[in-house]
């Protein structure tokens, strides 16, 4: 299937004109062939020095089907050991560029087009480098594992701090079903999990919109809801290995990425549930967690839904009250982020404090509406059942953490990002 991206470029009832940067998206078992054709005779034929960025695993997964594309390109094959979307990963790409004589902008060997052949990490590194070098890149996902393939920003751990860095969206996406449907199940399950996290992200966006008047676009929310619906429908087909189900999952992931592209940030797709994932990635209150992005996100989703449901019940029972805001928990931030040398970076991220947008009177007034938004979400049990159906992770113990980490995780995770979530607004609630 092709996603015709132009349908998203029309003026919107939210008052903004959304812009899609990716020119074309193809999800098909013929995508590898179509990419070759484009490089040989089509839109990509003008590039003289294309270079593939991949790692050893994704090369093994994709170079067979892409053999003719591979022959047209230079390759940069990274070792997958400890390869992450972080400053070390970028250093490794820079170093490889230097070694290939491709580092200098004036060098005849400098690539003029990059092909990201891989999953999330390879894409984040490639989009960052493409932005830095001012050249376009093509996305060739080797697993349906994240929704960030078409994102315009790169989520990176930058000297210990989780950051969203400027990057570019791919010019084209060629998702070949015969490549990404053969990825290890754990990666596919991670993609399912990343999408189910939108339940929390959308609820957060809607609640914050109600209380602070933050901009929202219902059309973009619906795109995310369509993506979640698609993933719920394809779950059994995925487990049966049906190509069609894999294409639906890839479609849903790309749709979520396009929703982010339309607004220019990850607001529609990432909030309290991703903050949990980011906190654990920063290793402030835990040791290194060997889990995929989606696996941490799904646990964040379960934890936040459980918490939100409790608060909604308290609101309905008249037992939830708004109290004055006491400001950033400086001592706690010092003891936790500070112990990792991240006090200043955390304070910078939290300036201005997004909680200052919350007016207590309006918060009180909106409590019934907040309860309504939360009640529309599936219950904690329903989410767990959905995740189990997809063999996804849903419990901290499955990624080597213990339940003791949960309270502090929920208290600290809002501070990893300036983006306002209901979990953060909870700091003004008694229930
Ligand atoms: Zn809109
Ligand atoms: Zn995500």
């Amino acid at each position: 299937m092709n996603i015709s991206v132009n349908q998203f470029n029309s003026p919107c009832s939210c008052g903004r004109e959304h812009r899609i940067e990716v020119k074309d998206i193809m999800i098909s078992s013929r995508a590898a062939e179509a990419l070759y054709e484009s490089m040989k005779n089509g839109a990509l034929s003008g590039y003289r020095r294309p270079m593939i960025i991949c790692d050893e695993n994704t090369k093994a997964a994709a170079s067979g089907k892409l053999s003719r594309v591979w022959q047209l390109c230079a390759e940069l094959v990274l070792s997958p050991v400890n390869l992450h979307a972080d400053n070390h990963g970028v250093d490794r790409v820079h170093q490889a560029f230097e070694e290939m004589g491709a580092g200098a902008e004036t060098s005849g060997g400098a690539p003029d087009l990059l092909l990201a052949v891989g999953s999330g990490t390879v894409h984040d590194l490639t989009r960052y480098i493409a932005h830095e070098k001012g050249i376009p890149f093509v996305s060739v996902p080797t697993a349906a594992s994240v929704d960030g393939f078409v994102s315009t920003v790169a989520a990176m751990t930058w000297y210990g701090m989780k950051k969203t860095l400027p990057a570019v969206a791919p010019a084209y996406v060629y998702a070949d079903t015969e490549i990404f449907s053969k990825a290890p199940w754990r990666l596919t399950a991670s993609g399912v999990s990343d999408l189910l996290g939108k339940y929390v992200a959308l609820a957060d966006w809607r609640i914050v919109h109600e209380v602070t008047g933050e901009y929202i676009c219902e059309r973009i929310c619906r795109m995310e809801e369509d993506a979640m619906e698609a993933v719920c429908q394809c779950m059994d087909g995925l487990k049966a290995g049906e190509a069609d189900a894999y294409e639906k999952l890839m479609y849903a992931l790309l749709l979520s990425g396009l929703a982010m592209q339309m607004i220019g940030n990850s607001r529609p797709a990432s909030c309290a549930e991703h903050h949990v994932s980011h906190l654990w990635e920063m290793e402030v209150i835990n040791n290194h967690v060997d889990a995929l992005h989606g696996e941490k996100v799904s646990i964040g989703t379960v934890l936040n839904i459980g918490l939100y449901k409790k608060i909604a019940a308290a609101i309905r029972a008249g037992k939830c009250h708004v109290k004055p805001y006491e400001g950033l928990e400086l001592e706690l931030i010092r003891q936790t982020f500070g112990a990792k040398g991240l006090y200043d970076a955390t304070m910078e991220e939290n300036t201005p404090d997004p909680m200052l947008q919350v007016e207590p009177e309006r918060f009180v007034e909106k409590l019934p509406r907040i309860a309504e938004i939360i009640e529309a979400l599936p219950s904690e049990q329903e989410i767990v059942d959905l995740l189990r159906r997809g063999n996804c992770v849903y419990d901290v113990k499955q990624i080597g953490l213990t339940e003791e980490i949960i309270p502090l995780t929920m208290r600290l995770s809002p501070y990893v990002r300036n983006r306002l979530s209901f979990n953060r607004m909870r700091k003004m609630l008694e229930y």
Side-chain angles (χ1 to χ4, degrees):
M1 72 178 94
N2 276 54
I3 302 182
S4 95
V5 293
N6 281 335
Q7 60 175 314
F8 303 115
N9 274 325
S10 54
C12 183
S13 57
C14 74
R16 289 196 188 176
E17 190 151 347
H18 303 298
R19 246 173 53 89
I20 294 283
E21 287 175 37
V22 56
K23 295 189 183 78
D24 206 1
I25 294 177
M26 184 177 195
I27 308 168
S28 157
S29 53
R30 294 186 312 278
E33 192 51 38
L35 171 57
Y36 173 76
E37 275 308 315
S38 175
M39 292 181 77
K40 203 69 191 153
N41 305 308
L44 295 171
S45 60
Y47 295 97
R48 292 280 147 253
R49 293 177 305 278
M51 185 171 81
I52 289 170
I53 299 185
C54 59
D55 68 35
E56 287 157 13
N57 295 334
T58 61
K59 181 182 176 180
S63 58
K65 184 86 200 265
L66 287 167
S67 60
R68 295 213 287 167
V69 169
W70 227 273
Q71 283 164 13
L72 301 175
C73 301
E75 61 167 18
L76 193 168
V77 188
L78 297 157
S79 159
V81 180
N82 290 325
L83 183 66
H84 302 292
D86 58 12
N87 50 299
H88 303 294
V90 169
D91 285 347
R92 277 155 76 174
V93 177
H94 279 155
Q95 202 185 341
F97 262 66
E98 294 302 326
E99 282 163 12
M100 295 169 71
E105 306 302 324
T106 51
S107 152
D112 55 359
L113 176 73
L114 299 175
L115 281 74
V117 178
S119 59
T121 303
V122 165
H123 273 77
D124 275 332
L125 293 173
T126 306
R127 87 177 76 254
Y128 180 83
I129 299 292
H131 175 73
E132 188 185 72
K133 305 276 179 199
I135 55 175
F137 90 96
V138 174
S139 158
V140 187
T142 54
S145 55
V146 287
D147 71 348
F149 296 120
V150 294
S151 166
T152 37
V153 293
M156 298 255 197
T157 309
W158 212 244
Y159 297 96
M161 192 71 190
K162 197 74 195 179
K163 293 226 172 214
T164 300
L165 298 173
V168 285
Y172 297 90
V173 180
Y174 287 93
D176 195 291
T177 319
E178 285 176 10
I179 298 173
F180 69 78
S181 71
K182 301 213 167 63
W185 178 260
R186 200 178 156 195
L187 290 167
T188 306
S190 182
V192 170
S193 296
D194 203 11
L195 280 172
L196 293 178
K198 300 340 168 206
Y199 279 118
V200 173
L202 290 180
D204 274 338
W205 197 11
R206 289 195 166 116
I207 290 170
V208 171
H209 165 72
E210 291 289 342
V211 177
T212 72
E214 185 186 307
Y215 161 82
I216 198 166
C217 170
E218 275 303 324
R219 183 175 161 212
I220 292 177
C221 291
R222 275 198 305 279
M223 284 172 72
E224 293 287 2
E225 282 161 351
D226 288 348
M228 281 193 289
E229 207 181 297
V231 75
C232 292
Q233 282 172 4
C234 71
M235 206 93 92
D236 296 323
L238 288 174
K239 285 207 290 191
E242 291 164 16
D244 180 53
Y246 275 86
E247 287 178 1
K248 279 207 184 92
L249 172 60
M250 184 56 83
Y251 170 80
L253 290 167
L254 292 169
L255 194 63
S256 173
L258 289 174
M260 288 189 257
Q261 214 177 89
M262 282 167 73
I263 155 169
N265 60 55
S266 60
R267 184 39 134 164
S270 160
C271 205
E273 76 300 330
H274 272 72
H275 296 164
V276 167
S277 170
H278 296 334
L279 177 72
W280 291 338
E281 278 158 41
M282 288 166 65
E283 299 171 18
V284 170
I285 54 168
N286 53 278
N287 292 325
H288 180 69
V289 174
D290 185 24
L292 299 171
H293 171 72
E295 295 173 335
K296 287 169 278 187
V297 168
S298 60
I299 298 171
T301 303
V302 173
L303 293 178
N304 277 290
I305 285 192
L307 179 70
Y308 290 12
K309 290 284 181 183
K310 234 177 256 154
I311 300 174
I315 293 172
R316 294 302 190 195
K319 288 182 183 151
C320 178
H321 306 286
V322 174
K323 60 180 181 181
Y325 181 54
E326 290 170 3
L328 297 172
E329 295 160 283
L330 295 179
E331 200 40 49
L332 179 69
I333 293 173
R334 208 183 301 277
Q335 284 164 11
T336 51
F337 293 98
K340 284 280 277 189
L342 296 173
Y343 181 79
D344 289 342
T346 305
M347 291 306 288
E348 196 189 316
E349 180 65 34
N350 286 282
T351 308
D353 182 352
M355 283 297 285
L356 300 178
Q357 301 163 46
V358 181
E359 286 170 23
E361 305 75 41
R362 181 139 175 198
F363 198 179
V364 173
E365 196 183 300
K366 291 289 180 182
L367 285 177
R369 174 70 189 125
I370 291 170
E372 215 172 83
I373 293 169
I374 294 170
E375 282 157 0
L377 294 173
S379 69
E380 186 179 349
Q381 191 56 49
E382 282 166 331
I383 281 285
V384 168
D385 289 344
L386 257 175
L387 289 165
R388 284 173 105 138
R389 217 174 102 203
N391 291 341
C392 302
V393 161
Y394 53 89
D395 189 295
V396 284
K397 292 196 273 306
Q398 292 169 301
I399 61 166
L401 295 172
T402 57
E403 275 171 3
E404 283 81 71
I405 204 162
I406 294 172
L408 192 54
T409 295
M410 300 310 279
R411 196 168 156 202
L412 274 188
S413 56
Y415 292 124
V416 304
R417 280 293 164 84
N418 198 285
R419 178 167 295 154
L420 193 53
S421 65
F422 184 56
N423 183 29
R424 184 155 185 159
M425 290 164 72
R426 183 171 70 101
K427 295 185 190 292
M428 282 175 73
L429 292 179
E430 254 164 3
Y431 54 93

